[in-house]
Amino acid sequence: MMSTILPDLNYAAFVWSSYGVFAAVCAWQFLAPWIRRRRLVRQIREQLEERSAANALKENDAP
């Protein structure tokens, strides 16, 4: 039973590196949108702060 689960030692490096690459790609597929979302939220927040600061300056300069 155990011989069917574990790969043959001749191909072990290829098999385990393939598993590693697969895991890395899956992790990236999960993390990339999360990282992008955080970056976009930060950019939008900065833009809103800039606009509100500009509006506050306009209101203070108005006679």
Side-chain angles (χ1 to χ4, degrees), residues 5 8 10-11 14 17 20 25 30 32 34 36 38 41-42 46 48-49 51-54 57 59-60 62:
I5 295 173
D8 187 15
N10 294 333
Y11 301 108
F14 171 75
S17 62
V25 168
F30 176 75
W34 182 70
R36 184 167 185 238
R38 287 184 59 202
V41 167
R42 187 178 339 115
E46 289 173 0
L48 289 174
E49 288 173 359
R51 285 183 185 174
S52 65
L57 286 176
E59 289 175 2
N60 290 339

Side-chain angles (χ1 to χ4, degrees), residues 1-8:
M1 172 86 183
M2 200 60 148
S3 63
T4 59
I5 295 173
L6 295 175
D8 187 15

Side-chain angles (χ1 to χ4, degrees), residues 5-57:
I5 295 173
L6 295 175
D8 187 15
L9 292 179
N10 294 333
Y11 301 108
F14 171 75
V15 170
W16 289 111
S17 62
S18 297
Y19 287 155
V21 168
F22 174 74
V25 168
C26 286
W28 179 252
Q29 291 292 318
F30 176 75
L31 292 174
W34 182 70
I35 293 169
R36 184 167 185 238
R37 181 183 177 277
R38 287 184 59 202
R39 186 181 314 135
L40 288 172
V41 167
R42 187 178 339 115
Q43 288 175 349
I44 291 170
R45 187 177 297 129
E46 289 173 0
Q47 289 176 357
L48 289 174
E49 288 173 359
E50 289 174 2
R51 285 183 185 174
S52 65
N55 288 338
L57 286 176

